[in-house]
Amino acid sequence: MTIIKCAHKVFTLPMAWCQPTIKWLTQWFVILGMTNITAQELILPQDSIITVNLDEVILISARKTLDYHRQAKPLSTLEEYLESSKKVTMVKRGAYAWEPSLNNMFSERLSITIDGMKIFGACTDKMDPITSYVEVSNLAKAYVASGQQGAKHGSTIGGAIDLQLEKSDFRDTGLQGGVETGFESNNEMNVWGVNLDYSRSNFYIDADLSYRKAENYSAGGGEEVAFSQFEKFNVAINSGYKLNEHQSLAASIIFDDARDVGYPALPMDVSMAQGVITSIGFEQDSLFGSLFNWNSKLYFNTITHIMDDTNRPDVPIHMDMPGWSDTYGFFSEVRSHIKKHSFLFKLDGYYNKSLAEMTMYPNVPEELPMFMLTWPDVRTVNVGFYVEDEIGLKGSTLKVATRLALQNQDVADEFGLNSLRIFYPEMQKSKTRFLKSISGQWHKMWMPWHLNVGLSYGDRAPSVSEGYGFYLFNSFDNHDYIGDPELANEKSMEVNAKISWKKEKFKLSAEANFFHIPDYIIGEVDPNLSVMTIGAEGVKVYKNLEYANLFNTSLEMEYIPFSQFKWTSLLSYHRAVDQHKENLPFISPFSYRSSLTYNKGSLSGTIGMTGAGKQVHYNSKFGEDQTKAFTVFSLSLGKTFNFNNDLMYTKIGMENIFDKKYSTYSDWKNIPRMGRNFFVTVSYAIN
Amino acid sequence: MKNLKFILVLVLLTLGFSSCSSDNDDNILVINPLEEYNLISKIEDNGHHIELYAENQDFIIGYNEIMIRIKDEVTGEYFSNPTISWIPMMHMMNMKHSAPKSNLSIMKENNTISKGFLVFQMASNSEEFWDITFNYKIDGKEYVTTQVIDVKAPKDKRQQVTSFLGNDETKYVLAMVSPKTPEVTINDFKAVLFKMEDMMTFSVVKDFKVGIDPRMPGMGNHSSPNNKDLTYDETTKCYIGKLSLTMTGYWKINMTLFNEVGELIKGEALTEEQESSSLYFELEF
Ligand SMILES: [Cu+2]
């Protein structure tokens, strides 16, 4: 215990802490061999030098690189990995399917893709962000791009997360396999994973299978959080075949099936959430002229989401709420270098069908069930063209990018159209929007200084819920939401800047971005409307605000006193208001994290701390209250063992060491986060 | 064999064409213009068959739109432009009363069919029964006949007619005409309002207003937006408004009736405490 307390002291010390302390600590850490849990180290800059892109890359799989020590917590959920990003925070409605946010913006303002494929969740209550339909075992990396820098895969305001699938990719490694297992004490989660890969220079096939099952977790102090259990099964197969030296085909399928998922912060659970994600791709190393790396993909995915309230006591009325979302899409991209320009051209398109319904069973048995379409079978067609050009200038780099897209939304279901026409009698069945994005990002270097400056404009169409939602209940602010098909596109004008100072042992960077968002889409109370959901306070209709302003800033530090040690810290501050200077909901208070990592040979270890200040700016109109300050600590220790050719890696760790009971600003209805938790993972790789 | 088939087709086609073109000048139709309707009663008297058609399978409590044709028993031909009047009568244990009704008028599309409506306030039972007396004139000759009918409660048992004593000490009958098949949309809402002058006489009430407030009692008694109160329409002699139903299920349409000077005649406005009005219709779909 004393050690941990000392460590705590270290993190709160000013940066110029004195040498003796380090040495003293070093000895202890060598013994403890801790690894990072807040996982600062997971975030690899794309290059050793900061490039013009401010993308973050989060390493998820260590399978191909055998770079196990870089993983904070193998077999943790994808959401935990994403949370280790500097810009990503998570909205939690339970232990499963956290919703990522970027720059304090959520799903509808983000472009979230899997290997460039568009996927849309099928839940009207945002229980299934698309990150919940994959497993860490499917993925190699996650690219996180802020603001319009994420426009490559689709229109966005807040940024993009692209999850890259793990592939053997014609590495001549032959047959390889691995078994992984993990256990977490707090919610008795068991995780099993098996993978088998066969890869030659002209053919590969990878298969992985994973299963996890968790019981209810306990908050700090030991209180059990009812309905926080979940169970998930995932299997994925990836294959590639080289037609010849220049051309190759690839195909992938992911089947993901979650059952009996509890959402303690919501009034309902999920009996089944199932996703099938498939694609076939074609790659050719050159096209014509100076075009090279021609990469095309056709894809299809289907999501089925079945909500369930039958396990809940005292529901005022039982209801079935299934939802379906099917997406068909393609993209084709090619690169080109002409003199100082390196271009990327990308044409993409998708067709999505979103349908969700609600059947309520009256307590009077002879009455007929009540039925409505909460998503009226909205068919979205979106075709976009993206070009980026990275221009090498004297001593600096400029990247300009633009996306132009045409989107049409059509309400295919007559019943649903008639339902919406109750609110909007003049509503048209179909609506076309033109979407555009343009951004410029400039990078200049005067060693050891780096400066990144960006300026951009972009817009987005309303989401299916915002445009066509019909009595969607939001349990956070306790209101029913109605979409508005005539909403204007939400626009964003963004400036960002990052200044870094880098020396071999010390890196310091300060970063800020500012979004001015005219026609910001948010729900506003319509006092004339009558609530549908029993117990709801009122009805909100999605509206365009005049504008909203969002500001995010962070300070990051990395210090490597000795080659085996790395100390990283991150401080961030966020602020967002509308045109009346009223706070926007779900904006992070001042937050911080810090970790010290030890890494030498087969041994690795981390001690970490993360926390946030008291939430000063919140908005009770959106169900928010003041979230208290908290600090939690974690530590882990990892070791690699060699058996002949095989490799075994084990990691043990403890999270929320002091069993602190806390919740963050983004925890739905203040649902407490997990209390003290021990975890063990064992990975065995057969080469 | 082939030729035979060909001839058959030809015959059928000719028949089809002739039936289409004969609509206006010939009264005997090959195609039954009342095909979509149900024959709910048939009276054989005076050498005539009086056929009563309706959308429902039976006479039901509430508003009944009825189409009548009279056929010559011998020739099987329908008479064109008959003059028909009708009197519905309820024979109760110790009294008799009539019901609100419209006149019967010849349909523009077909002059053998007379159309009108009856509003039954109650069902027939073992001791009490309804009958309808028809007075009709064909070729200058007058006939009378009476037929007992069976009025049933609607299958869903929902209230679509209400008779009540207003605050002005007058008895009224209010019956819902449409929506006949309610949908999740803004439905055309139509009703007829009659004043009971005496047991046998009902007269159409003009220029009143009916405030509507549809609710779902099974779902927190929520309402719906964009409803339009019923106002009197001189041409149809009906009260016309709009009814929004945001989902399927059981809806209670709470109403308040105001006279031409805006005085409340019947019903209560809904509040937190007042969950329903004493004047209401019910719909379930
Ligand atoms: Cu859901």
Side-chain angles (χ1 to χ4, degrees), chain A residues 123 127 305 307:
Chain A
C123 178
M127 286 161 142
H305 179 86
M307 288 192 246

Side-chain angles (χ1 to χ4, degrees), chain A residues 148 151 154-157 382-386 401-407 432-439 456-461 488-493 519:
Chain A
Q148 295 305 319
S155 298
T156 175
I157 300 284
N382 182 306
V383 180
F385 185 62
Y386 173 83
T402 182
R403 161 175 285 274
L404 299 174
L406 211 55
Q407 174 168 315
T432 304
R433 293 165 188 271
F434 178 59
L435 304 170
K436 53 237 160 270
S437 157
I438 182 154
S439 65
S456 62
Y457 174 86
D459 61 2
R460 68 156 180 118
N489 291 343
E490 184 177 283
K491 296 110 187 146
S492 164
M493 289 162 226
D519 292 321

Side-chain angles (χ1 to χ4, degrees), chain A residues 317 319 360 366-372 415 418-419 421-425 470-471 529-534, chain B residues 158 183-186 215-226 244-250 284-285:
Chain A
I317 193 158
M319 45 183 107
M360 289 153 286
E366 55 268 26
E367 277 178 24
L368 292 177
M370 294 170 261
F371 177 85
M372 53 199 224
F415 183 99
N418 285 334
S419 306
R421 280 186 174 155
I422 293 175
F423 289 87
Y424 308 101
F470 196 69
Y471 288 109
L529 297 179
S530 158
V531 299
M532 186 278 295
T533 305
I534 294 171
Chain B
R158 298 309 181 190
E183 280 177 41
V184 176
T185 188
I186 302 181
R215 298 288 179 124
M216 287 201 104
M219 194 71 209
N221 213 34
H222 72 78
S223 182
S224 67
N226 290 331
S244 299
L245 303 172
T246 51
M247 62 178 87
T248 70
Y250 169 62
E284 193 170 26
F285 66 110

Side-chain angles (χ1 to χ4, degrees), chain A residues 1-9 24-25 28 32 607 658:
Chain A
M1 239 15 162
T2 40
I3 300 148
I4 291 145
K5 276 183 183 151
C6 290
H8 173 44
K9 238 183 246 167
W24 178 83
L25 270 166
W28 281 107
L32 280 167
I607 178 154
F658 300 109

Side-chain angles (χ1 to χ4, degrees), chain A residues 122-128 269-270 305-307 321:
Chain A
C123 178
T124 51
D125 296 348
K126 296 169 105 183
M127 286 161 142
D128 69 337
D269 302 312
V270 163
H305 179 86
I306 313 284
M307 288 192 246
M321 293 179 71

Side-chain angles (χ1 to χ4, degrees), chain A residues 120-123 128 133 256-259 270-276 301-307 321-326 355:
Chain A
F120 298 89
C123 178
D128 69 337
Y133 291 108
D256 190 277
D257 187 280
R259 300 280 167 133
V270 163
S271 58
M272 187 189 84
Q274 198 177 74
V276 180
N301 55 71
T302 175
I303 306 284
T304 307
H305 179 86
I306 313 284
M307 288 192 246
M321 293 179 71
W324 300 270
S325 167
D326 293 348
L355 175 72

